[in-house]
Amino acid sequence: MPKIKSFDGIRVFATVAVFLYHTGLMPYIASEAVSVFFLLSGFLSYYTLQKSDNIGVGKGTITYIKKKFLAFFPVNFAGYLVFCLFFIYSCICGKTIFDVKDFLIKSILNLGFMQTLFKDYSVILNEPSWYLSTLMICFLFAYIIYIFIKKCSSIKYLFCAWMGIIILLWIINSASYFDGAYIYTNPLYRILEFICGNLIARIHVNIKVNDLELKVKKASIFEGILLGIIVIEWLIKFIFPEINENYAYSIFPLSVFLLIVSLGKGVISKFLSMPFLGRIAPYTLEFYILHETVFRFMYETFRLNGNWFINGLLYSIFSFIVLIPMTYLLHIFVQKNKQQSKY
């Protein structure tokens, strides 16, 4: 099946949103952006696993995990090394106390994509790497999820399963029993978003096969309404921060938006499919893995007094300038592995 070009644009804007969240310029936006990553991963997982039909669950799972590990490990390892350089500098300056045993445990968990299996170690060292850890756990079940969802050809049943998962996500987020910070990185929670992405991919395939696609005008209207809902939800959280943040509120509009945009008919999907976004998109994973370490180093090393917004803007600009060559070099470093791991 042809590449969905509009997803390149979504990846770029979601990555920028996470960066701006960590710089403090756009609070409350990271939860939506991270949910987009898992929805996209689930969608593309289903989309690409169609190439490996009928090879068996065991072989399919092993093959998929192997290819994903080869794709992600060089990026994760490089991000870890960059963190270690800044960490050593911080220790020399007396800003951080070095604990050998603790550092070794965290390193093993980080490099082995196991950190989010343990509540106390879910966000450690190069913090954005928790995403790769959780995603690798989702990939362990990707082939089984694909097989189950592929067997369902009824859009009605697919829609019911989709809504059921969204309701379950909302219930988990609303329950005071669960720690919100741990839910954010928890593989058991994020795998539900991953499954949600698989379901909308299956619906996408059904729409394509049955030629039920929307007209340009209707698709543009739907895209605009859904994007408006997502923006309004973020504005409400920004204006009224006392409102309890539930990560699941935006899953429905986000997932419907991805489905409509995947059809490539509306004005917004055309914009997201622009070639310049397609050229930037391959660098987003490297940028994501490096961004927080670089920003924190800039913030801790070059302290500024004054307005928080102006300072955040300056830190963001300086960090972005530093990140551009680092991202490019890291991308070149891992490109060979990524080419071997397209699946």
Side-chain angles (χ1 to χ4, degrees):
M1 299 183 76
K3 179 182 178 181
I4 302 174
K5 295 181 180 179
S6 56
F7 283 0
D8 284 342
I10 291 175
R11 284 167 58 194
V12 171
F13 285 109
T15 303
V16 171
V18 172
F19 173 73
L20 292 176
Y21 167 79
H22 284 137
T23 62
L25 294 178
M26 290 186 70
Y28 308 105
I29 196 68
S31 57
E32 285 84 356
V34 172
S35 291
V36 165
F37 290 147
F38 283 99
L39 289 169
L40 272 179
S41 296
F43 190 110
L44 295 173
S45 172
Y46 183 91
Y47 205 72
T48 55
L49 280 171
Q50 294 178 100
K51 301 175 186 177
S52 59
D53 265 346
N54 304 318
I55 65 172
V57 172
K59 185 178 179 181
T61 299
I62 293 171
T63 303
Y64 195 62
I65 285 294
K66 179 182 176 181
K67 289 180 179 284
K68 289 299 181 182
F69 182 85
L70 291 174
F72 286 159
F73 183 79
V75 182
N76 192 39
F77 184 67
Y80 169 81
L81 290 180
V82 171
F83 170 83
C84 287
L85 290 175
F86 290 131
F87 181 77
I88 291 170
Y89 173 82
S90 181
C91 290
I92 292 172
C93 294
K95 297 178 181 179
T96 304
I97 298 174
F98 182 64
D99 184 323
V100 177
K101 181 180 178 181
D102 183 65
F103 188 81
L104 286 175
I105 292 172
K106 290 179 178 178
S107 296
I108 292 169
L109 294 176
N110 185 284
L111 295 175
F113 301 105
M114 298 181 290
Q115 63 201 64
T116 50
L117 291 173
F118 304 91
K119 182 176 181 180
D120 294 334
Y121 293 97
S122 58
V123 181
I124 52 174
L125 304 184
N126 182 29
E127 293 187 9
S129 64
W130 75 262
Y131 165 69
L132 295 182
S133 173
T134 299
L135 193 57
M136 285 297 293
I137 295 167
C138 291
F139 287 147
L140 280 172
F141 303 96
Y143 198 84
I144 297 173
I145 293 168
Y146 165 73
I147 293 298
F148 273 101
I149 293 177
K150 181 196 168 191
K151 291 180 179 180
C152 182
S153 58
S154 169
I155 290 183
K156 180 176 69 174
Y157 292 136
L158 289 168
F159 182 81
C160 289
W162 179 14
M163 292 302 102
I165 288 176
I166 289 173
I167 292 170
L168 183 57
L169 287 167
W170 184 85
I171 291 172
I172 292 172
N173 259 291
S174 300
S176 58
Y177 174 78
F178 297 102
D179 180 354
Y182 183 51
I183 285 176
Y184 193 80
T185 61
N186 194 306
L188 295 178
Y189 176 81
R190 292 298 181 181
I191 200 169
L192 293 174
E193 293 182 337
F194 185 81
I195 294 171
C196 197
N198 274 261
L199 288 166
I200 58 178
R202 183 69 176 97
I203 295 172
H204 167 93
V205 170
N206 278 17
I207 290 172
K208 288 284 187 179
V209 169
N210 296 304
D211 196 25
L212 301 173
E213 297 188 45
L214 295 169
K215 301 293 183 181
V216 174
K217 186 176 180 180
K218 286 185 177 180
S220 299
I221 292 171
F222 276 124
E223 288 175 354
I225 291 172
L226 290 164
L227 185 59
I229 292 171
I230 294 166
V231 171
I232 289 170
E233 187 213 3
W234 173 74
L235 286 172
I236 290 172
K237 288 191 290 187
F238 181 75
I239 297 169
F240 305 103
E242 68 275 6
I243 294 176
N244 183 38
E245 183 178 3
N246 187 317
Y247 304 134
Y249 285 150
S250 56
I251 295 297
F252 179 68
L254 282 173
S255 54
V256 178
F257 180 73
L258 287 181
L259 175 60
I260 302 298
V261 165
S262 71
L263 301 175
K265 294 294 184 179
V267 173
I268 294 176
S269 62
K270 296 295 184 185
F271 170 76
L272 293 170
S273 303
M274 293 177 69
F276 86 94
L277 291 173
R279 288 192 288 270
I280 297 171
Y283 298 88
T284 53
L285 179 59
E286 291 87 350
F287 183 90
Y288 172 81
I289 289 297
L290 293 173
H291 81 277
E292 190 168 359
T293 296
V294 171
F295 178 77
R296 289 196 174 191
F297 173 76
M298 298 291 287
Y299 179 78
E300 292 177 4
T301 306
F302 307 103
R303 294 277 181 171
L304 297 174
N305 296 318
N307 183 274
W308 70 269
F309 180 80
I310 299 299
N311 289 347
L313 188 60
L314 289 173
Y315 284 127
S316 301
I317 293 171
F318 293 147
S319 299
F320 191 77
I321 292 171
V322 173
L323 278 164
I324 291 174
M326 291 182 68
T327 298
Y328 178 77
L329 291 173
L330 178 54
H331 180 76
I332 297 301
F333 173 73
V334 302
Q335 187 61 31
K336 183 177 178 180
N337 300 78
K338 293 181 76 172
Q339 287 176 346
Q340 294 173 348
S341 307
K342 286 181 180 177
Y343 190 64

